[in-house]
Amino acid sequence: MARTQGQSTTVAAKAAPVLLSGGNPQIAKGDGNAPVQAYIAAMPGWKRGLGERLDALIERDVPDVCKAVRWNSPFYGIEGQGWFVTFHVFAHYVKVTFFSGMSLRPIPPGGTVKSKDARWIDIRESGEFDEAQMAVWVKQAAALPGWIP
């Protein structure tokens, strides 16, 4: 994991981004802030503003956050601890997934038996979500052992 402060091992190309099914940007795997910002810049329509809000919230509440793009999604983690949250664009919403979601209080609403410890929240076009609750979840998730692939 690379720290956010000015480090990047991959710089996104200047060409128009390719959008995968559901509108998710296809961004090359890379560590650091640059590929995450390329992903956010490529998010279509209203989703871009939401991506900017989520990224700013995570940076604000987890100052030592590490960023990367994996599997065409931005990942946020703590060095030596693993990834704690990611988000992904779908046609009608953005899914924010907490890898240790079952340990968060309150537990985020999305999840199934098959999703094991991961839990998520789907944010729709209204953009209405409880930003204060999201900040609580982000802080809690960053303090827990994360997912290490």
Side-chain angles (χ1 to χ4, degrees):
M1 271 183 207
R3 289 212 185 262
T4 305
Q5 278 62 17
Q7 293 184 10
S8 176
T9 57
T10 302
V11 176
K14 300 275 185 202
V18 173
L19 297 179
L20 302 170
S21 66
N24 193 55
Q26 182 177 25
I27 301 295
K29 176 181 175 180
D31 294 317
N33 191 43
V36 170
Q37 294 310 312
Y39 177 94
I40 292 168
M43 291 172 76
W46 64 269
K47 296 168 187 138
R48 180 176 308 128
L50 177 60
E52 291 167 350
R53 286 173 63 197
L54 290 168
D55 184 68
L57 183 149
I58 294 165
E59 279 189 344
R60 180 192 73 213
D61 291 330
V62 187
D64 57 345
V65 71
C66 298
K67 298 180 183 184
V69 169
R70 301 286 189 271
W71 302 284
N72 297 305
S73 295
F75 280 67
Y76 297 82
I78 301 293
E79 186 75 41
Q81 218 172 284
W83 305 113
F84 62 88
V85 69
T86 185
F87 55 89
H88 190 87
V89 170
F90 289 90
H92 301 290
Y93 61 94
V94 174
K95 177 181 277 191
V96 181
T97 302
F98 295 94
F99 295 108
S100 296
M102 286 297 292
S103 297
L104 304 180
R105 295 295 175 257
I107 297 171
T112 66
V113 173
K114 289 184 179 182
S115 58
K116 300 182 183 174
D117 199 34
R119 290 297 178 268
W120 57 83
I121 182 167
D122 296 338
I123 303 172
R124 304 210 175 258
E125 185 170 2
S126 69
E128 299 291 328
F129 72 97
D130 187 341
E131 198 161 323
Q133 180 60 64
M134 184 67 71
V136 168
W137 282 331
V138 164
K139 289 175 193 173
Q140 288 178 26
L144 297 169
W147 177 62
I148 301 174

